[in-house]
Amino acid sequence: MKAVVWHGEGDIRLDSVPDPEITHSQDAIVRIERSGICGTDLHFIRGTMSGMQPGTILGHEAVGVVTEIGADVRRFAPGDRVIVSSTMSCGMCRYCRMGQTAQCDVANPNGPAAGTCFFGGPESTGPVDGLQAEYARIPWASNTLIPLPDNVSFDAAILLSDIFPTAWFGAELAGIRRGDTVAVFGAGIVGQLAVTSAFRQGAGRVWAIDGVDSRLVQALDQNAEVINFNREDPVQALLDATQGVGVDAVIDAVGVDAQRPASGPAAAESAAQAEEFAAEVDQVAPETNVQGENWVPGNAPSQASQWAVQAAAKYGRVGIIGVYPPNLSSYPIGQAMNKNLTVRMGNCDHRSVTPPLIDLVATGVFDPAPFITQQEPLTDVVDAYLNFDRREEGWLKTVLAVNA
């Protein structure tokens, strides 16, 4: 079969690889119909998330059809349409029973202390081959797979595999309450759906902060108020908008590949931290393979973290869903403590968060499909990665039509 394989920083290829096989009685094989390219995948290629093993198939977002099941998979049968949760979980351990499935004690083969197990990630997360492939082996299939209603298309469902649940989880981490003012840093696809989630969880006003105009236009279409950090100081703009108080809640949907402002009133302050930011880049991306405009790590890993803490009101809440690697040690903890902030973070508990969101889509309350800006065949995947990686205008979410 064809699959997108990581060979090293800056080196991904569409390879012919062996078809997956059942290796455990709880496994299933799924024929992938749609798979997504995620910003997390870019971290692996840029080098800002280390520990990847050469030969690992990339991708952690997919929907498809079950083709084969292990002897102990009783919930699914060949022919079933399914959503593949990005994070694997057994459904039986203490954490799974509490709905905290991202921290399943069983799924990660590195042991219960290893943390989240997700598809297509580094050695610390398994590794488990990913979902940008024609077929995939799904461990712990009875809990990792979620039935897909017949009236929900694969195009509508693909963002339910990771993006929408992660955004919803970010709003939950930020503890959004009715009437809250909310700042969403990062208006990529996760940030867009964080805006959606914030409003649906009761926010009164939501600001989206980014440096790409096409993303801000899409956030504006959702009734968010927008701030371009290349034209305004985002912290000052939020303080001005909230009578100097700051926002009640912040969602950091940026993570380690943050970019500092290239122009505008915030650029000088960020430029003064250039040496500090460069040290952070060296810390999080010890191996890189920059090729022209591609595979360039973000030049300010802690920029979004700093802005989030500065923009939050006293006793405010910060929810972090942007990816930060274990080896990044920078965080403005002193400022957060001095403001009595609550800071929560982590990987989405997909298996417990996703089902109610499926209902929103199945009943027509919310349609995620318009957020998909590019749909490409699997054969064009490398070019799609290159375009998405350059942060070009108009490239919000790319979906691969695999076995369409």
Side-chain angles (χ1 to χ4, degrees), residues 228-267:
N228 187 319
F229 62 68
N230 289 314
R231 290 196 285 270
E232 297 182 79
D233 181 324
V235 174
Q236 190 59 54
L238 289 167
L239 291 174
D240 291 344
T242 56
Q243 300 178 3
V245 173
V247 293
D248 301 307
V250 178
I251 301 172
D252 174 358
V254 181
V256 66
D257 273 311
Q259 297 281 94
R260 58 187 177 92
S263 58

Side-chain angles (χ1 to χ4, degrees), residues 213-360:
D213 281 329
S214 60
R215 295 176 175 182
L216 295 174
V217 168
Q218 191 141 11
L220 193 63
D221 287 344
Q222 295 199 74
N223 297 316
E225 300 169 62
V226 298
I227 299 169
N228 187 319
F229 62 68
N230 289 314
R231 290 196 285 270
E232 297 182 79
D233 181 324
V235 174
Q236 190 59 54
L238 289 167
L239 291 174
D240 291 344
T242 56
Q243 300 178 3
V245 173
V247 293
D248 301 307
V250 178
I251 301 172
D252 174 358
V254 181
V256 66
D257 273 311
Q259 297 281 94
R260 58 187 177 92
S263 58
E269 181 178 349
S270 292
Q273 294 182 266
E275 187 173 333
E276 172 189 335
F277 287 144
E280 292 175 354
V281 174
D282 288 341
Q283 185 181 54
V284 300
E287 300 285 342
T288 61
N289 185 4
V290 175
Q291 300 165 20
E293 295 180 87
N294 279 109
W295 319 131
V296 181
N299 60 14
S302 67
Q303 179 71 87
S305 298
Q306 294 181 31
W307 283 343
V309 168
Q310 293 164 10
K314 293 182 293 185
Y315 272 100
R317 289 100 54 199
V318 178
I320 304 174
I321 47 174
V323 174
Y324 291 93
N327 54 339
L328 179 64
S329 58
S330 300
Y331 192 82
I333 190 167
Q335 294 179 52
M337 184 173 185
N338 198 44
K339 296 174 76 173
N340 281 56
L341 300 187
T342 298
V343 182
R344 301 176 65 202
M345 67 203 80
N347 297 310
C348 178
D349 297 316
H350 290 92
R351 189 57 187 81
S352 59
V353 173
T354 304
L357 305 184
I358 297 175
D359 291 341
L360 289 180

Side-chain angles (χ1 to χ4, degrees), residues 176-182 201-205 248:
I176 292 173
R177 305 162 186 162
R178 187 172 63 190
D180 271 351
T181 54
V182 180
Q201 290 182 31
R205 295 176 69 184
D248 301 307

Side-chain angles (χ1 to χ4, degrees), residues 375-387:
Q375 188 165 130
E376 306 290 337
L378 184 63
T379 51
D380 291 347
V381 64
V382 174
D383 284 341
Y385 259 106
L386 289 167
N387 287 316

Side-chain angles (χ1 to χ4, degrees), residues 4-92:
V4 183
V5 179
W6 190 92
H7 288 273
E9 289 80 8
D11 185 2
I12 58 168
R13 309 172 201 169
L14 182 62
D15 289 344
S16 293
V17 301
D19 290 351
E21 298 179 350
I22 299 286
T23 61
H24 187 279
S25 62
Q26 294 280 4
D27 288 350
I29 304 298
V30 169
R31 183 181 75 242
I32 305 300
E33 296 292 333
R34 301 287 187 277
S35 185
I37 296 177
C38 180
T40 302
D41 301 323
L42 296 179
H43 297 323
F44 306 140
I45 309 170
R46 291 170 180 163
T48 45
M49 180 70 79
S50 59
M52 286 293 290
Q53 300 297 299
T56 301
I57 296 172
L58 286 175
H60 56 269
E61 304 173 12
V63 291
V65 177
V66 175
T67 61
E68 187 180 354
I69 59 171
D72 291 328
V73 177
R74 298 180 176 87
R75 188 178 187 189
F76 296 98
D80 287 348
R81 303 167 76 247
V82 291
I83 296 169
V84 185
S85 297
S86 294
T87 51
M88 283 154 271
S89 56
C90 72
M92 298 174 289

